[in-house]
């Protein structure tokens, strides 16, 4: 299916007028003309990029709540992406109570989600891609990674469902992160067989451990309207730290500013007039990198799931670089247009478009593919485990209600005093009254190292673990921020000072009202160890048994730390 921009807008008008809504509350969301106004992005310039990132294998529409806590430290205080709620709306000039306010913030999430419906879904994303390419047939569709992992079907198909979906979507260029958790052999198999002749898989910063040779092509040079355009890949630099080292034993990773500068100079020497880095660093790292490497026109960023409505402009020795981040879960599609004249970028336009599935008709070919690839697993995906009475979400620096449910299940099933759950940023949301299906549970835990554990740790060891993770999140130098959000903690209450030095952030640890004793041992449940050879019941078996037993999940009591010395920080909702 392909059509002109005029034809697409006509389709949107018909869809809106006919009430392509999920429920009666969506009448406001699907009022006539809503889709036309949101998705009418006039062509600008002569070079274009479309960008999505961190979709985490979500092929169908979902709910996703943005964070209410996304603290910046050091130079990042008060700067995107560390703005939430009303502060984000104020900074970007977005009117409260609108569709865009819902897309970019957590504000009044439950009501707004019922009003505006679900987001994402590859069939709806495909329609938007085709609409934008109708006026920009030369545009390059860039995938920022974390695409193959995050759903039950991606896990069960060894990522094949997402590999084929991306080919059908028309992805041109990709860079990786969680893809590596399927193992080096599987990644190379996809790159050399499935992607060959279809998708360029680029990463300048992944090398062999023995001879430091590039594992993947570092960049690709394409042509748009007679203009040479280079896209350099920047894979997640801390993969062997944040994820299992043993899954990529022969490869090394890093930010590698010097090598990136070499690649920029090389593509410029080959005639590239536009240079873009497709990055999975995370936005803070990208901002620092942009200040150190000259000659990059834009960084299309991912990893930190920051849906930022406008770029951060970073000055450097070569001029300036636009730094963007395009959210997660298939919820957004970015459009970056450049006006290139006389061999230089003269101007640009940028839009980050929310993908509202009730405003975008499903692409028939993609919808048929999704139905077909999910069919063998349909019964299992739709298995009803329980009903939630409260909002279930994950995203945020310290804890989410989905995380709390997982922690509660671990402690009860394992008979533990406390529990740790990884601070990953992926995972969909559910509204009060929704059924917790097997599929929605798996959205929170579909990974290739799911073993649960029960260990004995001393109070001192518990504090050390928490301090280490806190430094990965709150080190004032972005280049030392090497993981996700803070480890989720069950059973233990604590105070955290994100502004304190390493080793001094975690304070006042208590268990059932009593201080943790440094030398006393405690039973701590966990899962997703990055160590090789760890065995144990998969997390989905633990949590599904817990849900089947409970049948109804009442609003969970969120175990949030007491956060100090962050008064006035716009990354913390009032």
């Amino acid at each position: 299916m392909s059509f002109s921009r005029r034809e697409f807008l006509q389709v949107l008008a018909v869809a809106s007028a006919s009430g392509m809504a999920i429920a009666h509350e969506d009448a406001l969301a699907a009022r006539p003309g809503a889709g036309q106004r949101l998705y009418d992005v006039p062509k600008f310039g002569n070079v274009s990029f479309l960008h999505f990132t961190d979709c985490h294998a979500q092929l169908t529409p979902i709910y996703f709540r943005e964070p209410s806590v996304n603290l910046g430290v050091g130079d990042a205080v008060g700067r995107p992406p560390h703005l939430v709620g009303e502060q984000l709306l104020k900074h970007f000039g977005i009117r409260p109570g609108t569709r865009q306010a819902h897309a970019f913030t957590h504000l009044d999430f439950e009501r707004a989600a019922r009003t505006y419906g679900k987001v994402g879904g590859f069939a709806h994303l495909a329609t938007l891609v085709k609409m934008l390419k109708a006026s920009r047939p030369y545009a390059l569709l860039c995938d920022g990674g974390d695409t193959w992992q995050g759903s039950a079907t991606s896990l069960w198909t060894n990522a094949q469902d997402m590999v084929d979906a991306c080919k059908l979507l028309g992805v041109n260029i990709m860079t990786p992160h969680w893809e590596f958790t399927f193992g080096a052999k599987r990644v190379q198999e996809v790159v050399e067989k499935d992607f060959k002749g279809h998708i360029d898989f680029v990463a300048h910063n992944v090398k062999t451990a023995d001879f430091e040779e590039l594992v993947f092509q570092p960049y690709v040079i394409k042509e748009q309207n007679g203009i040479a355009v280079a896209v350099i890949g920047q894979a997640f630099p801390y993969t062997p730290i944040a994820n299992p080292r043993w899954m990529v034993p022969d490869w090394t990773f890093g930010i590698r500013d010097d090598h990136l500068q070499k690649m920029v100079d090389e593509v410029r020497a080959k005639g590239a007039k536009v240079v873009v880095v497709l990055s999975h660093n995370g936005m803070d790292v990208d901002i620092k990198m942009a200040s150190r490497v000259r000659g990059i026109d834009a960084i299309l960023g991912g990893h930190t799931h920051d849906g930022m409505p406008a770029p951060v402009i970073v000055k450097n020795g070569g001029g300036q670089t636009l730094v963007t981040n395009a959210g997660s879960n298939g919820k957004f599609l970015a459009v970056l247009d450049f006006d290139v004249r006389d061999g230089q970028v003269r101007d640009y336009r940028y839009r980050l478009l929310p993908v509202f599935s009730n405003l975008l008709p499903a692409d028939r070919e993609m919808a048929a593919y999704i139905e077909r690839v999910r069919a063998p697993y349909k019964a299992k995906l739709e298995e009803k485990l329980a009903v939630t009475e409260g909002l279930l979400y994950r995203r945020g620096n310290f804890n989410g209600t989905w995380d709390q449910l997982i922690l509660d299940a671990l402690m009860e099933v394992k008979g533990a005093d406390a529990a740790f759950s990884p601070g990953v940023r992926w995972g969909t949301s559910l509204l009060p009254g929704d059924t917790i299906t097997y599929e929605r549970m798996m959205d929170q835990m579909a990974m290739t190292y799911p073993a649960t554990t029960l260990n004995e740790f001393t109070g001192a060891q518990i504090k050390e673990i928490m301090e280490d993770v806190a430094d990965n999140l709150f080190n004032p130098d972005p280049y030392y921020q090497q993981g996700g959000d803070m480890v989720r903690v069950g059973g233990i209450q604590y105070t955290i000072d994100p502004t304190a030095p390493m080793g001094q952030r975690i304070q006042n640890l208590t268990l059932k009202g009593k201080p943790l004793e440094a030398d006393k041992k405690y039973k701590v449940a966990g899962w997703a160890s990055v160590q090789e050879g760890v065995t144990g019941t998969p997390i989905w078996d633990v949590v599904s048994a817990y849900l089947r037993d409970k049948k109804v999940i009442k609003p969970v009591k969120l175990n949030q730390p007491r956060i100090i010395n962050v008064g006035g920080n716009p990354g913390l909702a009032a």
Side-chain angles (χ1 to χ4, degrees), residues 104-306:
F104 291 108
T105 73
H106 70 284
L107 296 171
D108 201 9
F109 178 78
E110 181 186 338
R111 182 202 63 80
R114 294 190 190 282
T115 298
Y116 297 117
K118 293 183 178 181
V119 294
F122 261 48
H124 307 278
L125 178 62
T127 295
L128 184 55
V129 168
K130 289 179 178 180
M131 171 264 190
L132 293 165
K133 281 204 168 189
S135 59
R136 303 163 175 82
Y138 46 83
L140 294 172
L141 178 57
C142 298
D143 174 359
D146 281 8
T147 302
W148 304 355
Q149 177 276 335
S151 72
T153 54
S154 68
L155 182 68
W156 296 338
T157 65
N158 203 20
Q160 195 64 46
D161 65 333
M162 296 309 302
V163 169
D164 292 339
C166 287
K167 289 169 64 178
L168 185 59
L169 187 64
V171 170
N172 300 111
I173 308 167
M174 179 185 184
T175 202
H177 171 205
W178 273 87
E179 286 70 23
F180 292 122
T181 64
F182 286 91
K185 182 179 178 181
R186 176 59 175 152
V187 172
Q188 288 181 310
E189 178 183 55
V190 171
V191 172
E192 294 169 4
K193 295 180 181 179
D194 298 83
F195 280 3
K196 188 175 183 180
H198 299 280
I199 299 174
D200 290 301
F201 193 90
V202 292
H204 85 93
N205 59 328
V206 183
K207 299 183 179 183
T208 59
D210 49 7
F211 299 111
E212 295 191 343
E213 296 174 338
L214 292 173
V215 176
F216 308 103
Q217 60 178 330
Y219 58 78
V220 62
I221 298 178
K222 304 280 189 177
E223 191 173 285
Q224 297 187 32
N225 291 316
I227 300 166
V229 175
V231 178
I232 303 171
Q234 177 86 10
F236 182 56
Y238 299 117
T239 295
I241 297 173
N243 306 104
R245 174 78 179 118
W246 56 269
M247 291 184 170
V248 285
D250 301 321
W251 299 345
T252 64
F253 297 72
I255 297 172
R256 295 178 168 150
D257 287 344
D258 291 344
H259 190 260
L260 179 58
Q261 185 66 70
K262 179 182 177 182
M263 295 296 96
V264 173
D265 295 342
E266 186 172 303
V267 297
R268 290 286 186 187
K270 290 182 176 181
K273 305 305 180 186
V274 178
V275 177
V276 166
V277 174
L278 181 59
S279 170
H280 205 92
N281 279 339
M283 195 164 186
D284 286 334
V285 178
D286 281 336
I287 289 170
K288 179 175 178 178
M289 189 174 74
S291 73
R292 293 162 62 94
V293 181
R294 66 188 182 279
I296 300 170
D297 294 298
I299 298 176
L300 302 178
H303 180 61
T304 39
H305 294 198
D306 301 308

Side-chain angles (χ1 to χ4, degrees), residues 65-92 104-107 284 306 308 395-399 473-474 485 498-499 560 563-574:
R65 177 188 182 271
E66 298 296 331
S68 56
V69 184
N70 188 7
L71 294 167
V73 293
D75 294 340
V77 174
R79 181 190 72 192
H82 300 288
L83 305 168
V84 300
E86 294 174 355
Q87 295 293 331
L88 184 147
L89 299 184
K90 181 179 179 181
H91 181 88
F92 290 107
F104 291 108
T105 73
H106 70 284
L107 296 171
D284 286 334
D306 301 308
M308 291 294 105
R395 183 73 173 95
N397 281 163
F398 297 105
N399 208 353
L473 180 61
F474 294 120
D485 281 320
T499 68
Q560 288 274 39
I563 312 169
I564 60 174
N565 291 331
V566 292
N569 192 309
L572 180 64

Side-chain angles (χ1 to χ4, degrees), residues 14 58 75 166 170 190 231 245 341-342 414 435 461-462 482 484 500-501 540 549:
V14 171
Q58 296 301 323
D75 294 340
C166 287
V190 171
V231 178
R245 174 78 179 118
R341 284 175 283 127
D342 300 323
K414 293 284 190 178
T435 297
Q461 288 174 318
I462 290 171
Q482 300 173 348
W540 44 78
D549 179 62

